[in-house]
Amino acid sequence: MPRWSLILASSTKESKGVIEDHNIEWEDFCIAAPQIIEAMGRANWLPEHIQMMSNFWANLQEHPFRSSGVPFKQKSLLVYQAEQRQMWHIAITNPHSGYNLSIINEVLLMDMKEWLFWEECTQTELPGESFVSNPLSSISIC
């Protein structure tokens, strides 16, 4: 008996418990990745694609940003993962357009880190407050 079945998307309601990839916590990511790899095998993915995804997620978990202790660096790995995985799925549908996702593009990752850094700064800045309002005040990371 199959462990899954197909149903029309229009006949289902969106789950309120679904968390988008870029918003997942690292602990949940580390739990989910091996489960997804196992599901890929059950879904008869090509072995080289399964290995590539496994290497991709392992490389992210071993990246220096992961152990940095800086939240926006860690978050940049998760957002990078979500975007690159989605782009790989689009690219793979075209002949000879796939690429090795397991090789981390450090330039894109640094761009993501910088974007998240400035996003954090603009969200925490109070209206009308400048980055340097008083040279004698405490220094923030922004």
Side-chain angles (χ1 to χ4, degrees):
M1 173 172 249
R3 292 169 41 168
W4 54 271
S5 62
L6 301 176
I7 58 172
L8 292 173
S10 60
S11 68
T12 65
K13 292 182 182 176
E14 186 176 323
S15 173
K16 295 182 190 224
V18 173
I19 300 171
E20 294 184 30
D21 284 5
H22 63 276
N23 288 327
I24 196 169
E25 297 292 329
W26 264 106
E27 293 75 21
D28 295 329
F29 173 81
C30 292
I31 292 168
Q35 294 175 351
I36 295 170
I37 296 297
E38 184 181 318
M40 290 172 179
R42 288 192 310 269
N44 296 318
W45 276 43
L46 294 173
E48 57 268 23
H49 290 170
I50 296 171
Q51 187 61 53
M52 181 199 60
M53 286 292 188
S54 179
N55 292 343
F56 175 54
W57 289 327
N59 289 341
L60 290 171
Q61 291 178 31
E62 295 170 0
H63 193 278
F65 281 10
R66 173 67 177 102
S67 58
S68 73
V70 179
F72 65 86
K73 285 184 177 181
Q74 295 173 349
K75 176 77 171 179
S76 67
L77 288 169
L78 294 170
V79 176
Y80 171 89
Q81 176 279 144
E83 288 184 356
Q84 291 303 306
R85 188 184 46 75
Q86 185 177 32
M87 290 176 63
W88 179 85
H89 279 283
I90 293 167
I92 201 67
T93 61
N94 298 314
H96 310 293
S97 297
Y99 56 95
N100 187 348
L101 190 58
S102 69
I103 299 169
I104 306 299
N105 184 325
E106 294 293 335
V107 173
L108 290 177
L109 182 58
M110 291 300 286
D111 287 347
M112 180 59 62
K113 176 190 72 94
E114 291 298 317
W115 182 82
L116 287 170
F117 172 80
W118 289 111
E119 185 76 12
E120 177 70 21
C121 286
T122 59
Q123 288 179 2
T124 58
E125 186 178 340
L126 297 174
E129 181 181 313
S130 66
F131 287 113
V132 182
S133 58
N134 179 352
L136 300 176
S137 65
S138 63
I139 299 171
S140 72
I141 66 162
C142 299

